[in-house]
């Protein structure tokens, strides 16, 4: 508990402290027998500590913080149901559509830029011919 000078709980300081664990430490902890047994009790399958770390490291920071750990482990509890699988599949399809739309928009921008360059070259050629 974090207390301020008045003996009151200091929520601001408690929230400002962020605990993280790196990949190497995570691997060592997950490979302990009692930790594996507790994860099995929670119906969390751990075939690879490296794979579990990658799943939990949702922001790609190469460290897992308390929020990532708790939210990730809660999501992994129990067997995957059809909804989990469908949700992941729909998310991938949505991301693919966004990438295609972005690619189309970039292609249009490049075509527009090429047209502008052609016009600029024509103006330059007309200017030089009049000199």
């Amino acid at each position: 508990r974090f207390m301020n000078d008045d003996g009151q709980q200091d929520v601001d300081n408690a929230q400002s402290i962020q605990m993280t664990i790196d990949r190497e430490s995570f691997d060592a902890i997950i490979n302990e027998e009692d930790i594996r047994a507790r994860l099995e009790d929670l119906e969390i399958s751990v075939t690879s500590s490296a794979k579990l770390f990658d799943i939990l490291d949702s922001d790609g920071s190469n460290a897992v913080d308390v929020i990532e750990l708790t939210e990730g482990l809660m999501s992994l509890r129990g067997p995957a149901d059809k909804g989990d699988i469908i949700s992941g599949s729909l998310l991938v399809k949505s991301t693919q559509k966004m990438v295609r739309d972005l690619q189309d928009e970039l292609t249009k921008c490049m075509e527009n830029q090429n047209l502008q360059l052609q016009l600029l070259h024509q103006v330059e050629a007309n200017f030089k011919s009049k000199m």
Side-chain angles (χ1 to χ4, degrees):
R1 276 192 153 173
F2 295 91
M3 303 292 203
N4 63 18
D5 296 333
D6 299 329
Q8 303 279 332
Q9 187 172 354
D10 193 346
V11 176
D12 291 335
N13 283 338
Q15 291 175 345
S16 68
I17 295 175
Q18 186 176 11
M19 297 180 353
T20 61
I21 186 168
D22 63 15
R23 183 180 295 271
E24 186 178 319
S25 300
F26 182 85
D27 188 50
I29 292 168
I30 292 298
N31 287 317
E32 292 179 13
E33 281 186 44
D34 62 326
I35 298 296
R36 289 235 180 206
R38 289 178 191 216
L39 290 173
E40 279 184 31
D41 290 343
L42 293 171
E43 298 181 7
I44 298 173
S45 173
V46 181
T47 56
S48 163
S49 59
K51 185 175 180 181
L52 179 59
F53 184 89
D54 290 337
I55 291 167
L56 296 175
D57 183 20
S58 60
D59 63 1
S61 64
N62 275 333
V64 175
D65 63 36
V66 175
I67 293 171
E68 288 175 317
L69 181 66
T70 53
E71 288 179 353
L73 291 178
M74 292 301 291
S75 297
L76 290 171
R77 287 189 69 189
D81 65 11
K82 192 173 183 177
D84 293 333
I85 296 166
I86 299 290
S87 175
S89 176
L90 292 174
L91 182 61
V92 168
K93 286 181 182 182
S94 173
T95 303
Q96 288 172 332
K97 183 183 181 324
M98 289 183 345
V99 169
R100 278 193 303 272
D101 291 347
L102 181 61
Q103 184 179 17
D104 291 344
E105 191 66 32
L106 286 172
T107 300
K108 288 177 187 175
C109 287
M110 289 175 62
E111 289 170 353
N112 187 26
Q113 188 176 23
N114 285 336
L115 286 173
Q116 290 176 353
L117 282 171
Q118 288 174 359
L119 288 172
L120 187 59
H121 288 300
Q122 288 175 358
V123 168
E124 181 183 34
N126 286 340
F127 181 75
K128 286 182 179 178
S129 67
K130 291 181 180 181
M131 289 181 93

